[in-house]
Amino acid sequence: MITPDQETGTKLWHLVKNHDHVDHREGDRGSKMVSEIYLTRLLATKGTLQKFVDDLFETVFSTAHRGSALPLAIKYMFDFLDEQADQRQISDPDVRHTWKSNCLPLRFWVNVIKNPQFVFDIHKSSITDACLSVVAQTFMDSCSTSEHRLGKDSPSNKLLYAKDIPNYKSWVERYYRDIAKMASISDQDMDAYLVEQSRLHASDFSVLSALSELYFYVTKYRQEVLTALDRDASCRKHKLRQKLEQIISLMSSNS
């Protein structure tokens, strides 16, 4: 862009907002032109990536179009959260929705979307990081139960997917409803599933390292864990407090 300058007649500007320009009207005009250029580029890029974003969201928030069966652990965990809500007489559906969103999509999937290098052996450039942050923010907004009021001063990354978020929210709600309708998973089936997963991934992880980390956690919150085991009827039935105290005693005597 070329804007007039009183001393030299003309002055060359780069395509960035000039914060130090003394003529605010010229600065505002230049900024608006740059924003319009960037917005056009953003919309074009969004159109290119739209199918891939849609496919990602539909795969994550679907019990059918996934390519593989829904893991039993997800059904078991969601049923556990519903059971806890029933025990505490929490009837607000938004609370249940938020619990489920916090324990799976927002804790696991957002982290994977923003940090693909955790899963794949790739380099994440700063440009890629910025793009993935927009997708991750859209993912988080889709899991929210609150309405997002946007205006002309809202960030461009929020405005970019504003029209798509209501549709994505319906996918999230459908996902939670479909899982709730599925047959319950018994404790025996869950135990068998975990044993099978342990067998399949026996060589992928260090069992001793995992047990060590769990032990450090238990010793740090020993009293809280023991109290929780005392309060739970199932834990009392299997005498888990006594078993844990025996483990702590053995570990303490050997250290």
PDB file of all heavy atoms in Angstrom, residues 1 18-19 28 36 41 48 75 77 88 92 114-115 133 156 158 189 193 198 201 204 206 224-225 229 231 242:
ATOM      1  N   MET A   1       0.848  -1.200   0.000  1.00  0.00           N
ATOM      2  CA  MET A   1       0.000   0.000   0.000  1.00  0.00           C
ATOM      3  C   MET A   1       0.872   1.234   0.000  1.00  0.00           C
ATOM      4  O   MET A   1       1.906   1.276   0.670  1.00  0.00           O
ATOM      5  CB  MET A   1      -0.889   0.020   1.243  1.00  0.00           C
ATOM      6  CG  MET A   1      -1.968  -1.043   1.218  1.00  0.00           C
ATOM      7  SD  MET A   1      -2.958  -0.931   2.710  1.00  0.00           S
ATOM      8  CE  MET A   1      -1.727  -1.343   3.932  1.00  0.00           C
ATOM      9  N   ASN A  18       0.548  -0.056  11.354  1.00  0.00           N
ATOM     10  CA  ASN A  18       1.570   0.858  11.850  1.00  0.00           C
ATOM     11  C   ASN A  18       1.063   1.527  13.120  1.00  0.00           C
ATOM     12  O   ASN A  18       0.271   2.453  13.075  1.00  0.00           O
ATOM     13  CB  ASN A  18       1.899   1.912  10.784  1.00  0.00           C
ATOM     14  CG  ASN A  18       2.991   2.849  11.241  1.00  0.00           C
ATOM     15  OD1 ASN A  18       3.863   2.444  12.001  1.00  0.00           O
ATOM     16  ND2 ASN A  18       2.948   4.089  10.788  1.00  0.00           N
ATOM     17  N   HIS A  19       1.514   1.078  14.292  1.00  0.00           N
ATOM     18  CA  HIS A  19       1.000   1.580  15.560  1.00  0.00           C
ATOM     19  C   HIS A  19       1.518   2.980  15.881  1.00  0.00           C
ATOM     20  O   HIS A  19       0.929   3.695  16.685  1.00  0.00           O
ATOM     21  CB  HIS A  19       1.394   0.624  16.695  1.00  0.00           C
ATOM     22  CG  HIS A  19       0.779  -0.718  16.551  1.00  0.00           C
ATOM     23  ND1 HIS A  19      -0.519  -0.980  16.889  1.00  0.00           N
ATOM     24  CD2 HIS A  19       1.287  -1.890  16.063  1.00  0.00           C
ATOM     25  CE1 HIS A  19      -0.796  -2.247  16.649  1.00  0.00           C
ATOM     26  NE2 HIS A  19       0.290  -2.816  16.147  1.00  0.00           N
ATOM     27  N   ASP A  28      -5.779   3.911  10.605  1.00  0.00           N
ATOM     28  CA  ASP A  28      -7.002   3.114  10.675  1.00  0.00           C
ATOM     29  C   ASP A  28      -7.393   2.587   9.301  1.00  0.00           C
ATOM     30  O   ASP A  28      -7.822   1.449   9.162  1.00  0.00           O
ATOM     31  CB  ASP A  28      -8.142   3.950  11.259  1.00  0.00           C
ATOM     32  CG  ASP A  28      -7.913   4.259  12.736  1.00  0.00           C
ATOM     33  OD1 ASP A  28      -7.084   3.557  13.344  1.00  0.00           O
ATOM     34  OD2 ASP A  28      -8.562   5.192  13.258  1.00  0.00           O
ATOM     35  N   GLU A  36      -8.899  -6.703   5.856  1.00  0.00           N
ATOM     36  CA  GLU A  36      -9.722  -7.253   4.784  1.00  0.00           C
ATOM     37  C   GLU A  36      -8.927  -8.250   3.937  1.00  0.00           C
ATOM     38  O   GLU A  36      -9.446  -9.281   3.508  1.00  0.00           O
ATOM     39  CB  GLU A  36     -10.272  -6.124   3.915  1.00  0.00           C
ATOM     40  CG  GLU A  36     -11.331  -5.274   4.633  1.00  0.00           C
ATOM     41  CD  GLU A  36     -11.747  -4.072   3.812  1.00  0.00           C
ATOM     42  OE1 GLU A  36     -11.101  -3.820   2.768  1.00  0.00           O
ATOM     43  OE2 GLU A  36     -12.708  -3.391   4.218  1.00  0.00           O
ATOM     44  N   ARG A  41      -7.921 -14.154   2.952  1.00  0.00           N
ATOM     45  CA  ARG A  41      -7.018 -15.306   2.994  1.00  0.00           C
ATOM     46  C   ARG A  41      -7.498 -16.344   4.014  1.00  0.00           C
ATOM     47  O   ARG A  41      -7.433 -17.551   3.774  1.00  0.00           O
ATOM     48  CB  ARG A  41      -5.609 -14.828   3.332  1.00  0.00           C
ATOM     49  CG  ARG A  41      -4.565 -15.942   3.418  1.00  0.00           C
ATOM     50  CD  ARG A  41      -4.349 -16.566   2.049  1.00  0.00           C
ATOM     51  NE  ARG A  41      -3.842 -15.610   1.106  1.00  0.00           N
ATOM     52  CZ  ARG A  41      -2.558 -15.283   0.971  1.00  0.00           C
ATOM     53  NH1 ARG A  41      -1.659 -15.861   1.742  1.00  0.00           N
ATOM     54  NH2 ARG A  41      -2.182 -14.409   0.061  1.00  0.00           N
ATOM     55  N   THR A  48     -10.616 -24.481   2.278  1.00  0.00           N
ATOM     56  CA  THR A  48      -9.767 -25.599   1.872  1.00  0.00           C
ATOM     57  C   THR A  48      -9.745 -26.694   2.934  1.00  0.00           C
ATOM     58  O   THR A  48      -9.746 -27.890   2.618  1.00  0.00           O
ATOM     59  CB  THR A  48      -8.338 -25.110   1.600  1.00  0.00           C
ATOM     60  OG1 THR A  48      -8.371 -24.082   0.598  1.00  0.00           O
ATOM     61  CG2 THR A  48      -7.448 -26.246   1.133  1.00  0.00           C
ATOM     62  N   LYS A  75     -17.680 -45.668  27.424  1.00  0.00           N
ATOM     63  CA  LYS A  75     -19.035 -45.960  27.909  1.00  0.00           C
ATOM     64  C   LYS A  75     -19.030 -46.149  29.418  1.00  0.00           C
ATOM     65  O   LYS A  75     -19.890 -45.616  30.130  1.00  0.00           O
ATOM     66  CB  LYS A  75     -19.569 -47.210  27.206  1.00  0.00           C
ATOM     67  CG  LYS A  75     -20.857 -47.793  27.793  1.00  0.00           C
ATOM     68  CD  LYS A  75     -22.015 -46.805  27.714  1.00  0.00           C
ATOM     69  CE  LYS A  75     -23.292 -47.452  28.249  1.00  0.00           C
ATOM     70  NZ  LYS A  75     -24.422 -46.492  28.307  1.00  0.00           N
ATOM     71  N   MET A  77     -16.893 -45.006  31.635  1.00  0.00           N
ATOM     72  CA  MET A  77     -16.606 -43.745  32.317  1.00  0.00           C
ATOM     73  C   MET A  77     -17.814 -42.808  32.305  1.00  0.00           C
ATOM     74  O   MET A  77     -18.154 -42.199  33.322  1.00  0.00           O
ATOM     75  CB  MET A  77     -15.412 -43.056  31.658  1.00  0.00           C
ATOM     76  CG  MET A  77     -15.048 -41.698  32.257  1.00  0.00           C
ATOM     77  SD  MET A  77     -13.519 -41.054  31.548  1.00  0.00           S
ATOM     78  CE  MET A  77     -13.966 -40.949  29.819  1.00  0.00           C
ATOM     79  N   ARG A  88     -25.856 -37.784  43.653  1.00  0.00           N
ATOM     80  CA  ARG A  88     -25.825 -36.439  44.245  1.00  0.00           C
ATOM     81  C   ARG A  88     -27.022 -35.596  43.837  1.00  0.00           C
ATOM     82  O   ARG A  88     -27.048 -34.393  44.055  1.00  0.00           O
ATOM     83  CB  ARG A  88     -24.521 -35.743  43.845  1.00  0.00           C
ATOM     84  CG  ARG A  88     -23.311 -36.338  44.556  1.00  0.00           C
ATOM     85  CD  ARG A  88     -22.001 -36.038  43.832  1.00  0.00           C
ATOM     86  NE  ARG A  88     -20.869 -36.562  44.598  1.00  0.00           N
ATOM     87  CZ  ARG A  88     -20.523 -37.838  44.632  1.00  0.00           C
ATOM     88  NH1 ARG A  88     -21.242 -38.739  43.958  1.00  0.00           N
ATOM     89  NH2 ARG A  88     -19.480 -38.226  45.347  1.00  0.00           N
ATOM     90  N   ASP A  92     -29.333 -31.185  36.498  1.00  0.00           N
ATOM     91  CA  ASP A  92     -29.002 -30.214  35.447  1.00  0.00           C
ATOM     92  C   ASP A  92     -28.203 -30.922  34.345  1.00  0.00           C
ATOM     93  O   ASP A  92     -27.086 -31.378  34.583  1.00  0.00           O
ATOM     94  CB  ASP A  92     -28.172 -29.074  36.042  1.00  0.00           C
ATOM     95  CG  ASP A  92     -27.937 -27.950  35.037  1.00  0.00           C
ATOM     96  OD1 ASP A  92     -28.264 -28.141  33.850  1.00  0.00           O
ATOM     97  OD2 ASP A  92     -27.419 -26.891  35.445  1.00  0.00           O
ATOM     98  N   LYS A 114      -3.818 -29.902  19.322  1.00  0.00           N
ATOM     99  CA  LYS A 114      -2.847 -28.814  19.410  1.00  0.00           C
ATOM    100  C   LYS A 114      -1.409 -29.307  19.336  1.00  0.00           C
ATOM    101  O   LYS A 114      -0.510 -28.547  18.974  1.00  0.00           O
ATOM    102  CB  LYS A 114      -3.048 -28.037  20.714  1.00  0.00           C
ATOM    103  CG  LYS A 114      -4.339 -27.237  20.784  1.00  0.00           C
ATOM    104  CD  LYS A 114      -4.364 -26.344  22.002  1.00  0.00           C
ATOM    105  CE  LYS A 114      -3.331 -25.249  21.898  1.00  0.00           C
ATOM    106  NZ  LYS A 114      -3.435 -24.276  23.024  1.00  0.00           N
ATOM    107  N   ASN A 115      -1.180 -30.566  19.694  1.00  0.00           N
ATOM    108  CA  ASN A 115       0.188 -31.089  19.749  1.00  0.00           C
ATOM    109  C   ASN A 115       0.288 -32.419  19.002  1.00  0.00           C
ATOM    110  O   ASN A 115       0.480 -33.476  19.614  1.00  0.00           O
ATOM    111  CB  ASN A 115       0.621 -31.271  21.208  1.00  0.00           C
ATOM    112  CG  ASN A 115       0.542 -29.980  21.999  1.00  0.00           C
ATOM    113  OD1 ASN A 115       1.366 -29.095  21.855  1.00  0.00           O
ATOM    114  ND2 ASN A 115      -0.479 -29.882  22.849  1.00  0.00           N
ATOM    115  N   SER A 133      -4.280 -24.165  16.705  1.00  0.00           N
ATOM    116  CA  SER A 133      -4.886 -23.492  17.863  1.00  0.00           C
ATOM    117  C   SER A 133      -6.295 -23.013  17.537  1.00  0.00           C
ATOM    118  O   SER A 133      -7.185 -23.048  18.394  1.00  0.00           O
ATOM    119  CB  SER A 133      -4.020 -22.308  18.306  1.00  0.00           C
ATOM    120  OG  SER A 133      -2.775 -22.745  18.810  1.00  0.00           O
ATOM    121  N   SER A 156     -10.728 -12.819  15.161  1.00  0.00           N
ATOM    122  CA  SER A 156     -11.046 -13.427  13.869  1.00  0.00           C
ATOM    123  C   SER A 156     -11.145 -14.950  13.969  1.00  0.00           C
ATOM    124  O   SER A 156     -11.940 -15.567  13.261  1.00  0.00           O
ATOM    125  CB  SER A 156      -9.992 -13.043  12.827  1.00  0.00           C
ATOM    126  OG  SER A 156      -8.698 -13.429  13.262  1.00  0.00           O
ATOM    127  N   LYS A 158     -12.373 -16.612  16.345  1.00  0.00           N
ATOM    128  CA  LYS A 158     -13.710 -16.936  16.880  1.00  0.00           C
ATOM    129  C   LYS A 158     -14.771 -16.755  15.796  1.00  0.00           C
ATOM    130  O   LYS A 158     -15.714 -17.549  15.695  1.00  0.00           O
ATOM    131  CB  LYS A 158     -14.021 -16.023  18.067  1.00  0.00           C
ATOM    132  CG  LYS A 158     -13.202 -16.283  19.321  1.00  0.00           C
ATOM    133  CD  LYS A 158     -13.873 -17.329  20.175  1.00  0.00           C
ATOM    134  CE  LYS A 158     -13.239 -17.409  21.554  1.00  0.00           C
ATOM    135  NZ  LYS A 158     -13.936 -18.394  22.412  1.00  0.00           N
ATOM    136  N   ASP A 189     -16.839 -57.257  32.452  1.00  0.00           N
ATOM    137  CA  ASP A 189     -16.463 -56.959  31.068  1.00  0.00           C
ATOM    138  C   ASP A 189     -15.362 -55.903  31.024  1.00  0.00           C
ATOM    139  O   ASP A 189     -14.443 -55.977  30.195  1.00  0.00           O
ATOM    140  CB  ASP A 189     -17.673 -56.463  30.277  1.00  0.00           C
ATOM    141  CG  ASP A 189     -18.674 -57.574  30.000  1.00  0.00           C
ATOM    142  OD1 ASP A 189     -18.274 -58.760  30.074  1.00  0.00           O
ATOM    143  OD2 ASP A 189     -19.852 -57.263  29.732  1.00  0.00           O
ATOM    144  N   TYR A 193     -11.633 -56.323  29.548  1.00  0.00           N
ATOM    145  CA  TYR A 193     -11.147 -55.374  28.538  1.00  0.00           C
ATOM    146  C   TYR A 193      -9.782 -54.806  28.931  1.00  0.00           C
ATOM    147  O   TYR A 193      -8.859 -54.718  28.106  1.00  0.00           O
ATOM    148  CB  TYR A 193     -12.169 -54.254  28.371  1.00  0.00           C
ATOM    149  CG  TYR A 193     -11.714 -53.109  27.496  1.00  0.00           C
ATOM    150  CD1 TYR A 193     -11.724 -53.227  26.107  1.00  0.00           C
ATOM    151  CD2 TYR A 193     -11.283 -51.905  28.056  1.00  0.00           C
ATOM    152  CE1 TYR A 193     -11.319 -52.172  25.295  1.00  0.00           C
ATOM    153  CE2 TYR A 193     -10.868 -50.848  27.253  1.00  0.00           C
ATOM    154  CZ  TYR A 193     -10.890 -50.996  25.875  1.00  0.00           C
ATOM    155  OH  TYR A 193     -10.471 -49.948  25.082  1.00  0.00           O
ATOM    156  N   SER A 198      -3.907 -54.577  28.436  1.00  0.00           N
ATOM    157  CA  SER A 198      -2.596 -54.742  29.066  1.00  0.00           C
ATOM    158  C   SER A 198      -1.752 -55.764  28.307  1.00  0.00           C
ATOM    159  O   SER A 198      -0.546 -55.583  28.119  1.00  0.00           O
ATOM    160  CB  SER A 198      -2.757 -55.181  30.525  1.00  0.00           C
ATOM    161  OG  SER A 198      -3.419 -54.188  31.274  1.00  0.00           O
ATOM    162  N   HIS A 201      -0.523 -54.312  24.913  1.00  0.00           N
ATOM    163  CA  HIS A 201       0.482 -53.245  25.008  1.00  0.00           C
ATOM    164  C   HIS A 201       1.533 -53.538  26.078  1.00  0.00           C
ATOM    165  O   HIS A 201       2.151 -52.617  26.614  1.00  0.00           O
ATOM    166  CB  HIS A 201      -0.213 -51.920  25.318  1.00  0.00           C
ATOM    167  CG  HIS A 201      -1.256 -51.538  24.314  1.00  0.00           C
ATOM    168  ND1 HIS A 201      -0.950 -51.032  23.073  1.00  0.00           N
ATOM    169  CD2 HIS A 201      -2.621 -51.602  24.357  1.00  0.00           C
ATOM    170  CE1 HIS A 201      -2.059 -50.801  22.398  1.00  0.00           C
ATOM    171  NE2 HIS A 201      -3.087 -51.130  23.161  1.00  0.00           N
ATOM    172  N   ASP A 204       4.875 -52.017  25.355  1.00  0.00           N
ATOM    173  CA  ASP A 204       4.914 -50.588  25.012  1.00  0.00           C
ATOM    174  C   ASP A 204       5.242 -49.695  26.196  1.00  0.00           C
ATOM    175  O   ASP A 204       5.706 -48.567  26.000  1.00  0.00           O
ATOM    176  CB  ASP A 204       3.559 -50.149  24.420  1.00  0.00           C
ATOM    177  CG  ASP A 204       3.245 -50.875  23.128  1.00  0.00           C
ATOM    178  OD1 ASP A 204       4.196 -51.389  22.507  1.00  0.00           O
ATOM    179  OD2 ASP A 204       2.068 -50.922  22.736  1.00  0.00           O
ATOM    180  N   SER A 206       6.522 -49.298  30.548  1.00  0.00           N
ATOM    181  CA  SER A 206       7.224 -49.867  31.696  1.00  0.00           C
ATOM    182  C   SER A 206       6.246 -49.962  32.859  1.00  0.00           C
ATOM    183  O   SER A 206       5.815 -48.949  33.413  1.00  0.00           O
ATOM    184  CB  SER A 206       8.424 -48.998  32.083  1.00  0.00           C
ATOM    185  OG  SER A 206       8.977 -49.438  33.306  1.00  0.00           O
ATOM    186  N   GLU A 224      -6.217 -38.921  52.110  1.00  0.00           N
ATOM    187  CA  GLU A 224      -7.387 -38.677  51.266  1.00  0.00           C
ATOM    188  C   GLU A 224      -7.819 -39.949  50.529  1.00  0.00           C
ATOM    189  O   GLU A 224      -9.012 -40.253  50.426  1.00  0.00           O
ATOM    190  CB  GLU A 224      -7.086 -37.570  50.247  1.00  0.00           C
ATOM    191  CG  GLU A 224      -6.933 -36.182  50.840  1.00  0.00           C
ATOM    192  CD  GLU A 224      -5.506 -35.893  51.272  1.00  0.00           C
ATOM    193  OE1 GLU A 224      -4.732 -36.869  51.466  1.00  0.00           O
ATOM    194  OE2 GLU A 224      -5.162 -34.713  51.424  1.00  0.00           O
ATOM    195  N   VAL A 225      -6.844 -40.714  50.024  1.00  0.00           N
ATOM    196  CA  VAL A 225      -7.160 -41.945  49.293  1.00  0.00           C
ATOM    197  C   VAL A 225      -7.767 -42.984  50.229  1.00  0.00           C
ATOM    198  O   VAL A 225      -8.778 -43.623  49.908  1.00  0.00           O
ATOM    199  CB  VAL A 225      -5.890 -42.506  48.619  1.00  0.00           C
ATOM    200  CG1 VAL A 225      -6.174 -43.882  48.016  1.00  0.00           C
ATOM    201  CG2 VAL A 225      -5.398 -41.564  47.538  1.00  0.00           C
ATOM    202  N   LEU A 229     -11.539 -44.649  50.065  1.00  0.00           N
ATOM    203  CA  LEU A 229     -11.764 -46.095  50.004  1.00  0.00           C
ATOM    204  C   LEU A 229     -12.712 -46.550  51.107  1.00  0.00           C
ATOM    205  O   LEU A 229     -13.504 -47.471  50.922  1.00  0.00           O
ATOM    206  CB  LEU A 229     -10.429 -46.837  50.130  1.00  0.00           C
ATOM    207  CG  LEU A 229      -9.446 -46.666  48.965  1.00  0.00           C
ATOM    208  CD1 LEU A 229      -8.125 -47.372  49.258  1.00  0.00           C
ATOM    209  CD2 LEU A 229     -10.042 -47.191  47.663  1.00  0.00           C
ATOM    210  N   ARG A 231     -15.167 -44.796  52.333  1.00  0.00           N
ATOM    211  CA  ARG A 231     -16.518 -44.291  52.081  1.00  0.00           C
ATOM    212  C   ARG A 231     -17.241 -45.069  50.991  1.00  0.00           C
ATOM    213  O   ARG A 231     -18.470 -45.061  50.930  1.00  0.00           O
ATOM    214  CB  ARG A 231     -16.451 -42.812  51.692  1.00  0.00           C
ATOM    215  CG  ARG A 231     -16.027 -41.903  52.837  1.00  0.00           C
ATOM    216  CD  ARG A 231     -15.882 -40.464  52.352  1.00  0.00           C
ATOM    217  NE  ARG A 231     -15.547 -39.554  53.448  1.00  0.00           N
ATOM    218  CZ  ARG A 231     -15.241 -38.271  53.274  1.00  0.00           C
ATOM    219  NH1 ARG A 231     -15.227 -37.757  52.053  1.00  0.00           N
ATOM    220  NH2 ARG A 231     -14.941 -37.515  54.316  1.00  0.00           N
ATOM    221  N   GLN A 242      -7.427 -51.950  53.404  1.00  0.00           N
ATOM    222  CA  GLN A 242      -6.467 -52.825  54.080  1.00  0.00           C
ATOM    223  C   GLN A 242      -5.366 -53.276  53.120  1.00  0.00           C
ATOM    224  O   GLN A 242      -4.180 -53.317  53.497  1.00  0.00           O
ATOM    225  CB  GLN A 242      -7.174 -54.045  54.668  1.00  0.00           C
ATOM    226  CG  GLN A 242      -8.094 -53.731  55.846  1.00  0.00           C
ATOM    227  CD  GLN A 242      -9.488 -53.308  55.407  1.00  0.00           C
ATOM    228  OE1 GLN A 242      -9.669 -52.837  54.285  1.00  0.00           O
ATOM    229  NE2 GLN A 242     -10.462 -53.487  56.296  1.00  0.00           N
TER     230      GLN A 242
END
